[in-house]
Amino acid sequence: MESNKTQNRQRRRWPVALIFLAACTGLALLGLHTDSGLQMKTRLAQLFPVHQLETGSEDDHDHSGKEPHDTHDHGEAEKSGHEDHDHEAEERENADRLSLDDASLFNIGIKNESVLTLKLQEYRKSFRMPGIVREIPGRSINNIAAAVSGIVTGVSVKQGDALCPGGPLLEIRLTHEEAIQCQTDLITLLQKQDVIRMETERLASLAEGIVPKRQRELLLEKVSNDAAIQAQKNLLKIHGFTEKMIEENIVGKREAVTRLIVRVPEINENGIAVQTSEQHSSNGEKEHYQILEKLLVNKGDSVRLGDILCQISDLRTLQIEGKVFAANESIVNDAFLKQSPAAAIFADAVKTDSYQTIEQLKIARVDSFINQETQTVSCWINLPNRKLTLSDGKANSSNLSSCGEKTISWRFKPGQRCELAIGYETIKNCFVLPPEAIASDRSNAYLFELTGIREGKKVWTKKPVRILYRASDAVVVANDGTIRPGMKAASTGAEQLYTALGSGSGKLQSACEHDH
């Protein structure tokens, strides 16, 4: 019974299938005579209204046989604007531009002085090696030793003071037996000189020829006594007595000097300390400053002949020791023989991205041996130093001081590290920029040009560049037409600008963007 019912249902389905097949065939034939697929869909919708051929409901969006876009009225002016304006070109251009206000620029380190004008120049490639500032042995550091034995009764300077030649350092009360005996002998000889002079004058008043023998004896005695006096003066000078002290006190007053002032020596052209007088300290034209590095005695200390009293430094000229591996020694030797210019690059301790370069230096000498442990050779370059600050303090009220208290600081100091650059090749017709002016993205490099101001904000445009050479203090960019002389660009903060551009912060939008 069940099988009969199934067979009857299948027989009823065949007429329906045949009708559907005939309808599809008719529609296919009808589509051949139409000029548009849209008209075919419309006719299908009329024949089979219950089957929606479009995704949306016909009641929601009725085109009534028209083109879909005909129902959107943009207006003739808007249609004309779309035809004349290239959206894609403007979007591509704006993708490389961003505008930032002054506050944002300040936060990333770009100020008014951070904008540079590009110009073509030459750049000399250089061989780099580490360097360290050293003092010059025998010239930069001088020890002041006691020329007599005694007790320190006065100290007119303090550690760190700047010194001028002839200025007072210490006062010593003499206990040195040789210096005391020398003064006593000199006073005795001076008194004898007076007696000889008076006797000679007395005999000269007598008749001529009466006592010629006695006159000859007095003359010989005077010559011998004058020689002894000069010998005692020279001995006193060895013990630190100045010419003024000897003439005013011992010769003039016939008094022994009991206190001796130790003064700052003058350093001559050969770096040798010479004795100076107190008058020299007031000569401003020759005045140069040394620094009291160490004071080794205090008031009341007993010192002996030869004891070191203090240590002073003269840092007007220093030297840089550069270390190069033995395999690259030929580069240094060639630069030494040709006297090629070298440069010392010092990093700023406060601004870590700032460097100071001292150019036009020459290699003074190259060591004759190789360090067996490091396999390096040292080369030496003279470095002229300069005063960084000079402050005049309150003058010392003591009668020992004639220079006042001064403190100075030198720009370059022993132990300071740097980088030496020895030039060997020149790149011409290029742009030399600070490293902070270039932003890198893997194999690409960019700088940012200042192209104008829009709505009170500065507009920066990303420009691709070709890097010819990189150094720690400069980047050499090719003159290939991408950038041009006279262009204004950011000298710092390029990486931050590139990051802001990638994140969309400050990115320019198209001026004709609108909402459909």
Side-chain angles (χ1 to χ4, degrees):
M1 191 68 177
E2 284 295 325
S3 62
N4 291 335
K5 290 181 180 180
T6 303
Q7 291 176 0
N8 291 334
R9 283 196 298 269
Q10 291 177 352
R11 290 192 190 100
R12 287 195 296 269
R13 288 176 182 175
W14 278 108
V16 177
L18 291 174
I19 294 171
F20 181 76
L21 180 61
C24 291
T25 304
L27 291 175
L29 294 175
L30 181 62
L32 295 175
H33 297 283
T34 59
D35 297 331
S36 172
L38 179 61
Q39 295 178 359
M40 183 181 69
K41 292 180 180 180
T42 304
R43 293 181 182 181
L44 285 173
Q46 293 173 353
L47 293 174
F48 303 99
V50 295
H51 299 285
Q52 300 298 329
L53 300 180
E54 300 294 334
T55 57
S57 174
E58 191 172 351
D59 294 336
D60 296 337
H61 197 76
D62 186 9
H63 288 279
S64 301
K66 297 181 181 180
E67 292 294 332
H69 200 65
D70 291 345
T71 59
H72 294 276
D73 185 10
H74 289 281
E76 295 297 331
E78 185 177 357
K79 292 179 181 179
S80 176
H82 278 286
E83 294 174 358
D84 297 338
H85 195 83
D86 189 352
H87 286 277
E88 295 182 358
E90 184 176 358
E91 289 177 357
R92 286 194 301 268
E93 183 179 358
N94 288 337
D96 293 336
R97 295 192 301 171
L98 74 161
S99 62
L100 297 173
D101 54 21
D102 292 339
S104 300
L105 293 174
F106 183 84
N107 290 335
I108 62 179
I110 299 179
K111 306 175 185 177
N112 292 332
E113 59 270 19
S114 300
V115 179
L116 57 85
T117 302
L118 302 185
K119 61 180 180 180
L120 291 174
Q121 52 187 303
E122 293 183 355
Y123 183 83
R124 189 172 179 83
K125 285 186 178 182
S126 57
F127 175 77
R128 303 297 181 100
M129 57 182 168
I132 185 170
V133 179
R134 306 283 191 187
E135 66 270 10
I136 300 178
R139 297 194 61 173
S140 299
I141 303 297
N142 296 304
N143 293 323
I144 306 300
V148 294
S149 299
I151 298 174
V152 178
T153 57
V155 178
S156 56
V157 292
K158 61 180 181 298
Q159 193 163 301
D161 281 354
L163 311 172
C164 51
L169 291 173
L170 306 167
E171 183 184 70
I172 298 177
R173 180 167 60 83
L174 294 178
T175 59
H176 191 63
E177 295 182 0
E178 185 177 359
I180 296 174
Q181 185 62 43
C182 185
Q183 292 185 81
T184 304
D185 294 343
L186 178 57
I187 293 174
T188 303
L189 292 172
L190 290 172
Q191 292 174 346
K192 184 178 181 180
Q193 184 185 51
D194 293 339
V195 172
I196 293 174
R197 185 177 64 256
M198 288 187 296
E199 181 64 15
T200 302
E201 292 173 356
R202 187 184 68 81
L203 293 176
S205 63
L206 299 176
E208 184 178 353
I210 296 179
V211 284
K213 182 179 179 181
R214 180 56 181 162
Q215 287 180 335
R216 289 195 297 270
E217 291 176 352
L218 289 175
L219 180 60
L220 293 175
E221 190 175 355
K222 179 179 182 302
V223 172
S224 176
N225 191 77
D226 290 345
I229 290 175
Q230 189 60 42
Q232 295 298 323
K233 289 181 178 181
N234 292 338
L235 186 58
L236 289 175
K237 290 179 181 179
I238 294 175
H239 289 296
F241 288 73
T242 63
E243 186 74 26
K244 181 180 179 181
M245 293 171 59
I246 296 173
E247 294 298 330
E248 288 185 357
N249 294 277
I250 302 176
V251 177
K253 299 178 182 180
R254 297 296 198 273
E255 295 178 356
V257 176
T258 58
R259 298 177 184 272
L260 183 67
I261 298 176
V262 181
R263 298 187 177 275
V264 181
E266 179 186 1
I267 309 298
N268 62 14
E269 296 178 355
N270 298 322
I272 300 175
V274 296
Q275 186 66 40
T276 57
S277 62
E278 56 268 29
Q279 286 87 353
H280 184 78
S281 62
S282 61
N283 188 351
E285 295 181 358
K286 288 187 176 182
E287 189 174 273
H288 69 269
Y289 294 99
Q290 304 173 67
I291 298 177
L292 180 63
E293 299 293 344
K294 292 181 181 180
L295 185 61
L296 304 177
V297 295
N298 296 309
K299 187 176 180 180
D301 288 350
S302 176
V303 296
R304 295 177 298 177
L305 175 66
D307 287 350
I308 304 299
L309 303 175
C310 58
Q311 187 179 82
I312 62 176
S313 65
D314 182 5
L315 304 182
R316 290 173 295 170
T317 301
L318 296 171
Q319 59 184 1
I320 302 176
E321 179 187 8
K323 290 185 178 293
V324 59
F325 285 107
N328 299 321
E329 182 186 2
S330 58
I331 299 177
V332 177
N333 287 332
D334 185 63
F336 172 65
L337 294 175
K338 295 180 179 179
Q339 284 296 283
S340 299
I345 304 169
F346 292 86
D348 196 317
V350 178
K351 300 178 180 179
T352 56
D353 57 349
S354 178
Y355 298 88
Q356 182 180 16
T357 302
I358 310 300
E359 299 180 341
Q360 301 301 321
L361 301 176
K362 303 291 183 182
I363 298 178
R365 64 183 177 90
V366 180
D367 280 352
S368 302
F369 59 89
I370 298 175
N371 190 308
Q372 295 298 319
E373 295 181 358
T374 61
Q375 285 297 301
T376 58
V377 178
S378 295
C379 63
W380 302 85
I381 296 177
N382 291 331
L383 176 66
N385 207 348
R386 66 175 185 271
K387 293 189 292 290
L388 188 63
T389 59
L390 171 62
S391 60
D392 295 334
K394 185 178 179 180
N396 194 335
S397 58
S398 172
N399 57 2
L400 302 178
S401 175
S402 59
C403 291
E405 297 179 357
K406 295 187 173 88
T407 58
I408 65 173
S409 177
W410 294 100
R411 172 62 183 87
F412 306 113
K413 302 174 178 62
Q416 189 173 359
R417 295 191 177 275
C418 65
E419 186 178 26
L420 290 177
I422 300 175
Y424 64 89
E425 181 182 346
T426 301
I427 302 176
K428 298 183 178 180
N429 193 33
C430 61
F431 298 99
V432 182
L433 304 175
E436 299 79 16
I438 300 296
S440 299
D441 180 13
R442 296 182 180 178
S443 60
N444 300 319
Y446 309 95
L447 65 75
F448 284 84
E449 177 190 5
L450 179 60
T451 54
I453 299 177
R454 181 175 177 178
E455 298 179 354
K457 298 180 180 181
K458 293 181 179 178
V459 180
W460 303 89
T461 302
K462 183 181 70 175
K463 295 288 184 179
V465 294
R466 183 161 59 93
I467 305 298
L468 298 178
Y469 181 74
R470 284 184 183 269
S472 60
D473 61 335
V475 176
V476 182
V477 177
N479 180 26
D480 56 1
T482 306
I483 57 178
R484 63 189 184 280
M487 176 187 294
K488 294 187 179 299
S491 62
T492 184
E495 291 288 351
Q496 290 85 344
L497 289 174
Y498 184 76
T499 302
L501 185 64
S503 64
S505 176
K507 188 175 180 181
L508 287 178
Q509 301 295 330
S510 176
C512 59
E513 287 185 356
H514 54 271
D515 187 8
H516 287 279

